[in-house]
Amino acid sequence: MMIFSFSFLNRWGHLFLYSTLFFLFFVQIATTHDPDFGWHLLIGQEIVSTHAMPQPEHVLYPIQGVVWIDHEWFSNALLFLAYSSGPYGDMFLYIFFALCGTGTLILIEYIATRWFIDTTKQQHPSTFLILFFLQFFTATILLPFSGIRLQMLSWIFFLLLIFLVLFFLEKRKLRILWVIPFLLLLWANMHGSFFLGLLGYLASALTIALFLLTSPQEKIHLFLVGVFASLA
Protein backbone atom coordinates (compact mmCIF):
# COMPACT_ATOMS: atom_id res chain seq x y z
CA MET A 1 0.00 0.00 0.00
CA MET A 2 1.38 3.42 -0.97
CA ILE A 3 2.00 5.78 1.95
CA PHE A 4 1.43 8.82 -0.27
CA SER A 5 -1.16 8.89 -3.04
CA PHE A 6 -0.16 10.25 -6.43
CA SER A 7 -2.43 13.27 -5.99
CA PHE A 8 -0.64 14.09 -2.72
CA LEU A 9 2.78 13.69 -4.33
CA ASN A 10 1.72 15.68 -7.39
CA ARG A 11 0.20 18.57 -5.43
CA TRP A 12 2.81 19.03 -2.70
CA GLY A 13 5.69 17.94 -4.88
CA HIS A 14 4.89 20.67 -7.40
CA LEU A 15 4.50 23.24 -4.62
CA PHE A 16 7.92 22.30 -3.25
CA LEU A 17 9.48 22.18 -6.73
CA TYR A 18 8.34 25.56 -7.96
CA SER A 19 8.76 27.29 -4.59
CA THR A 20 12.37 26.10 -4.56
CA LEU A 21 12.93 27.16 -8.16
CA PHE A 22 11.41 30.58 -7.47
CA PHE A 23 13.76 30.98 -4.50
CA LEU A 24 16.78 30.01 -6.62
CA PHE A 25 15.84 32.46 -9.36
CA PHE A 26 15.19 35.20 -6.80
CA VAL A 27 18.60 34.74 -5.14
CA GLN A 28 20.37 34.64 -8.50
CA ILE A 29 18.61 37.78 -9.73
CA ALA A 30 19.02 39.72 -6.48
CA THR A 31 22.76 38.99 -6.31
CA THR A 32 23.61 39.37 -10.01
CA HIS A 33 23.49 42.74 -11.68
CA ASP A 34 23.40 43.04 -15.45
CA PRO A 35 26.03 45.61 -16.53
CA ASP A 36 23.47 47.02 -18.99
CA PHE A 37 20.87 47.63 -16.28
CA GLY A 38 21.82 51.28 -15.72
CA TRP A 39 21.74 51.94 -19.46
CA HIS A 40 18.25 50.42 -19.73
CA LEU A 41 17.06 52.63 -16.85
CA LEU A 42 18.52 55.76 -18.42
CA ILE A 43 16.98 55.05 -21.81
CA GLY A 44 13.65 54.20 -20.14
CA GLN A 45 13.74 57.47 -18.21
CA GLU A 46 14.35 59.41 -21.43
CA ILE A 47 11.46 57.65 -23.19
CA VAL A 48 9.08 58.37 -20.31
CA SER A 49 10.11 62.01 -19.96
CA THR A 50 10.21 62.89 -23.68
CA HIS A 51 7.46 60.53 -24.91
CA ALA A 52 9.74 59.65 -27.82
CA MET A 53 12.29 56.99 -28.64
CA PRO A 54 15.94 58.12 -28.59
CA GLN A 55 17.64 57.79 -31.96
CA PRO A 56 21.06 59.47 -32.04
CA GLU A 57 23.17 57.65 -29.44
CA HIS A 58 24.30 60.07 -26.73
CA VAL A 59 24.87 57.76 -23.76
CA LEU A 60 27.60 55.37 -24.91
CA TYR A 61 30.69 57.40 -25.74
CA PRO A 62 32.25 55.09 -28.41
CA ILE A 63 29.16 55.31 -30.64
CA GLN A 64 27.84 58.79 -29.87
CA GLY A 65 25.85 60.25 -32.74
CA VAL A 66 25.07 56.87 -34.31
CA VAL A 67 21.40 56.58 -35.29
CA TRP A 68 19.81 53.44 -33.88
CA ILE A 69 16.39 51.94 -33.16
CA ASP A 70 15.58 50.92 -29.60
CA HIS A 71 13.89 47.57 -30.18
CA GLU A 72 13.33 47.28 -26.42
CA TRP A 73 11.74 50.69 -25.91
CA PHE A 74 8.59 49.40 -24.26
CA SER A 75 10.55 47.17 -21.87
CA ASN A 76 12.96 50.00 -21.05
CA ALA A 77 10.09 52.35 -20.24
CA LEU A 78 8.36 49.76 -18.04
CA LEU A 79 11.67 48.92 -16.35
CA PHE A 80 12.22 52.56 -15.42
CA LEU A 81 8.63 53.04 -14.22
CA ALA A 82 8.82 49.93 -12.03
CA TYR A 83 12.25 50.77 -10.59
CA SER A 84 11.32 54.38 -9.83
CA SER A 85 7.87 53.55 -8.44
CA GLY A 86 9.02 53.66 -4.81
CA PRO A 87 11.54 52.39 -2.27
CA TYR A 88 10.75 48.78 -3.17
CA GLY A 89 11.06 49.16 -6.92
CA ASP A 90 14.14 46.96 -7.06
CA MET A 91 12.41 44.27 -4.99
CA PHE A 92 9.46 44.32 -7.37
CA LEU A 93 11.84 43.69 -10.29
CA TYR A 94 13.55 40.83 -8.43
CA ILE A 95 10.18 39.17 -7.84
CA PHE A 96 8.92 39.82 -11.37
CA PHE A 97 11.96 38.33 -13.11
CA ALA A 98 12.04 35.41 -10.67
CA LEU A 99 8.43 34.75 -11.66
CA CYS A 100 9.50 34.90 -15.33
CA GLY A 101 12.09 32.20 -14.70
CA THR A 102 9.68 30.05 -12.71
CA GLY A 103 6.89 30.64 -15.24
CA THR A 104 9.20 29.46 -18.01
CA LEU A 105 9.63 26.11 -16.31
CA ILE A 106 5.91 25.83 -15.55
CA LEU A 107 5.11 26.43 -19.23
CA ILE A 108 7.67 23.82 -20.28
CA GLU A 109 6.03 21.24 -18.03
CA TYR A 110 2.52 22.20 -19.14
CA ILE A 111 3.38 21.88 -22.83
CA ALA A 112 5.23 18.61 -22.26
CA THR A 113 2.46 16.98 -20.23
CA ARG A 114 -0.36 18.21 -22.46
CA TRP A 115 1.04 17.21 -25.84
CA PHE A 116 4.12 15.02 -25.49
CA ILE A 117 3.59 12.68 -22.53
CA ASP A 118 1.02 9.89 -22.68
CA THR A 119 -1.83 10.70 -20.28
CA THR A 120 -1.83 7.10 -19.01
CA LYS A 121 1.74 7.59 -17.80
CA GLN A 122 1.12 10.98 -16.18
CA GLN A 123 -0.58 9.37 -13.20
CA HIS A 124 2.48 7.30 -12.31
CA PRO A 125 4.79 8.64 -9.57
CA SER A 126 7.87 7.86 -11.68
CA THR A 127 6.68 10.35 -14.31
CA PHE A 128 6.51 13.10 -11.71
CA LEU A 129 9.99 12.24 -10.42
CA ILE A 130 11.42 12.33 -13.94
CA LEU A 131 9.82 15.74 -14.56
CA PHE A 132 11.07 16.88 -11.14
CA PHE A 133 14.70 16.19 -11.97
CA LEU A 134 14.37 17.45 -15.56
CA GLN A 135 13.02 20.77 -14.29
CA PHE A 136 15.94 21.15 -11.89
CA PHE A 137 18.33 20.30 -14.72
CA THR A 138 16.68 22.92 -16.95
CA ALA A 139 16.87 25.44 -14.11
CA THR A 140 20.64 24.91 -13.79
CA ILE A 141 20.94 25.85 -17.48
CA LEU A 142 18.74 28.95 -17.20
CA LEU A 143 19.97 30.30 -13.86
CA PRO A 144 23.34 31.64 -15.13
CA PHE A 145 21.45 33.70 -17.72
CA SER A 146 18.99 35.08 -15.17
CA GLY A 147 18.92 38.56 -13.74
CA ILE A 148 17.10 41.80 -14.38
CA ARG A 149 17.62 40.98 -18.03
CA LEU A 150 15.04 41.53 -20.73
CA GLN A 151 16.05 38.33 -22.48
CA MET A 152 14.11 36.44 -19.81
CA LEU A 153 10.93 37.83 -21.38
CA SER A 154 11.85 36.08 -24.62
CA TRP A 155 11.69 32.70 -22.85
CA ILE A 156 8.05 33.33 -22.01
CA PHE A 157 7.20 34.70 -25.47
CA PHE A 158 8.79 31.74 -27.25
CA LEU A 159 6.92 29.20 -25.14
CA LEU A 160 3.64 31.06 -25.62
CA LEU A 161 4.23 30.89 -29.37
CA ILE A 162 4.79 27.12 -29.15
CA PHE A 163 1.64 26.80 -27.05
CA LEU A 164 -0.48 28.71 -29.59
CA VAL A 165 0.75 26.61 -32.52
CA LEU A 166 0.10 23.34 -30.68
CA PHE A 167 -3.25 24.60 -29.38
CA PHE A 168 -4.29 25.42 -32.95
CA LEU A 169 -3.33 21.93 -34.11
CA GLU A 170 -5.39 20.44 -31.28
CA LYS A 171 -8.52 22.58 -31.67
CA ARG A 172 -8.24 23.52 -35.37
CA LYS A 173 -9.83 26.91 -34.65
CA LEU A 174 -8.50 29.66 -36.90
CA ARG A 175 -8.98 32.43 -34.35
CA ILE A 176 -6.20 30.88 -32.27
CA LEU A 177 -3.73 31.62 -35.06
CA TRP A 178 -4.64 35.30 -35.09
CA VAL A 179 -3.33 35.76 -31.56
CA ILE A 180 0.19 35.15 -32.92
CA PRO A 181 0.66 38.51 -34.77
CA PHE A 182 -0.32 40.39 -31.60
CA LEU A 183 2.08 38.26 -29.55
CA LEU A 184 4.91 39.01 -31.98
CA LEU A 185 3.98 42.71 -32.06
CA LEU A 186 4.36 42.90 -28.28
CA TRP A 187 7.53 40.81 -28.42
CA ALA A 188 9.04 43.05 -31.13
CA ASN A 189 8.72 46.07 -28.83
CA MET A 190 10.15 44.32 -25.77
CA HIS A 191 13.20 42.37 -26.95
CA GLY A 192 15.23 41.94 -30.11
CA SER A 193 14.88 38.15 -30.03
CA PHE A 194 11.44 38.51 -31.65
CA PHE A 195 12.95 37.54 -35.01
CA LEU A 196 13.62 34.06 -33.61
CA GLY A 197 9.91 33.77 -32.83
CA LEU A 198 9.05 34.94 -36.33
CA LEU A 199 11.43 32.42 -37.91
CA GLY A 200 10.07 29.73 -35.61
CA TYR A 201 6.50 30.46 -36.65
CA LEU A 202 7.32 30.57 -40.36
CA ALA A 203 9.18 27.24 -40.15
CA SER A 204 6.39 25.58 -38.19
CA ALA A 205 3.71 27.05 -40.49
CA LEU A 206 5.50 25.68 -43.54
CA THR A 207 5.82 22.25 -41.93
CA ILE A 208 2.17 22.23 -40.84
CA ALA A 209 0.93 23.35 -44.26
CA LEU A 210 2.98 20.71 -46.10
CA PHE A 211 2.48 17.69 -43.86
CA LEU A 212 -0.39 18.17 -41.41
CA LEU A 213 -3.14 20.25 -43.02
CA THR A 214 -5.43 19.39 -45.91
CA SER A 215 -7.83 22.33 -45.72
CA PRO A 216 -7.00 25.17 -48.17
CA GLN A 217 -8.67 27.65 -45.82
CA GLU A 218 -6.35 26.71 -42.95
CA LYS A 219 -3.31 27.01 -45.22
CA ILE A 220 -4.41 30.48 -46.34
CA HIS A 221 -4.81 31.60 -42.74
CA LEU A 222 -1.38 30.20 -41.87
CA PHE A 223 0.08 32.26 -44.71
CA LEU A 224 -1.81 35.45 -43.78
CA VAL A 225 -0.81 35.15 -40.13
CA GLY A 226 2.79 34.86 -41.28
CA VAL A 227 2.43 38.04 -43.37
CA PHE A 228 0.91 40.05 -40.53
CA ALA A 229 3.42 38.63 -38.04
CA SER A 230 6.25 39.76 -40.35
CA LEU A 231 4.79 43.27 -40.46
CA ALA A 232 4.78 43.39 -36.66
Side-chain angles (χ1 to χ4, degrees):
M1 181 178 180
M2 294 180 60
I3 298 176
F4 300 111
S5 66
F6 174 76
S7 60
F8 178 90
L9 178 66
N10 190 46
R11 184 183 307 113
W12 292 102
H14 274 88
L15 179 62
F16 170 76
L17 171 64
Y18 289 112
S19 297
T20 304
L21 292 174
F22 173 82
F23 174 76
L24 292 175
F25 275 110
F26 181 86
V27 171
Q28 172 71 13
I29 291 166
T31 57
T32 304
H33 297 284
D34 187 354
D36 290 338
F37 179 58
W39 179 85
H40 285 293
L41 284 181
L42 189 59
I43 296 300
Q45 182 182 23
E46 183 174 344
I47 291 170
V48 171
S49 60
T50 64
H51 303 287
M53 289 188 287
Q55 291 186 349
E57 176 58 55
H58 57 277
V59 177
L60 299 178
Y61 175 76
I63 57 172
Q64 282 193 5
V66 175
V67 176
W68 64 294
I69 296 175
D70 184 10
H71 55 264
E72 301 171 344
W73 72 271
F74 191 43
S75 296
N76 288 333
L78 292 177
L79 202 64
F80 169 73
L81 289 172
Y83 187 78
S84 60
S85 61
Y88 300 105
D90 54 348
M91 183 63 67
F92 172 80
L93 291 175
Y94 297 156
I95 294 172
F96 174 78
F97 282 94
L99 288 173
C100 284
T102 310
T104 297
L105 296 170
I106 292 174
L107 279 171
I108 290 174
E109 180 182 345
Y110 180 79
I111 291 170
T113 53
R114 177 161 182 158
W115 285 293
F116 298 103
I117 298 178
D118 190 345
T119 54
T120 59
K121 296 180 180 179
Q122 291 182 23
Q123 299 301 314
H124 197 279
S126 63
T127 302
F128 169 77
L129 293 175
I130 292 171
L131 286 171
F132 184 90
F133 287 109
L134 283 176
Q135 290 290 62
F136 265 104
F137 175 74
T138 306
T140 61
I141 297 174
L142 295 179
L143 277 169
F145 301 98
S146 302
I148 302 181
R149 307 181 70 179
L150 301 180
Q151 68 179 22
M152 293 186 71
L153 300 176
S154 66
W155 304 349
I156 299 291
F157 284 128
F158 196 78
L159 288 168
L160 287 175
L161 178 63
I162 293 173
F163 168 80
L164 288 171
V165 171
L166 293 173
F167 194 47
F168 163 70
L169 288 175
E170 176 187 320
K171 301 295 185 180
R172 304 299 273 272
K173 294 182 178 179
L174 296 174
R175 64 174 178 269
I176 296 172
L177 285 176
W178 287 100
V179 179
I180 291 175
F182 295 99
L183 175 68
L184 285 170
L185 177 62
L186 180 61
W187 191 351
N189 289 283
M190 298 196 75
H191 195 260
S193 60
F194 72 92
F195 74 94
L196 294 176
L198 178 59
L199 291 177
Y201 171 76
L202 294 176
S204 61
L206 180 62
T207 303
I208 292 168
L210 290 176
F211 301 107
L212 298 177
L213 296 183
T214 57
S215 167
Q217 183 183 16
E218 290 178 327
K219 292 181 180 181
I220 291 171
H221 278 265
L222 276 173
F223 173 76
L224 291 176
V225 167
V227 171
F228 280 95
S230 301
L231 294 175

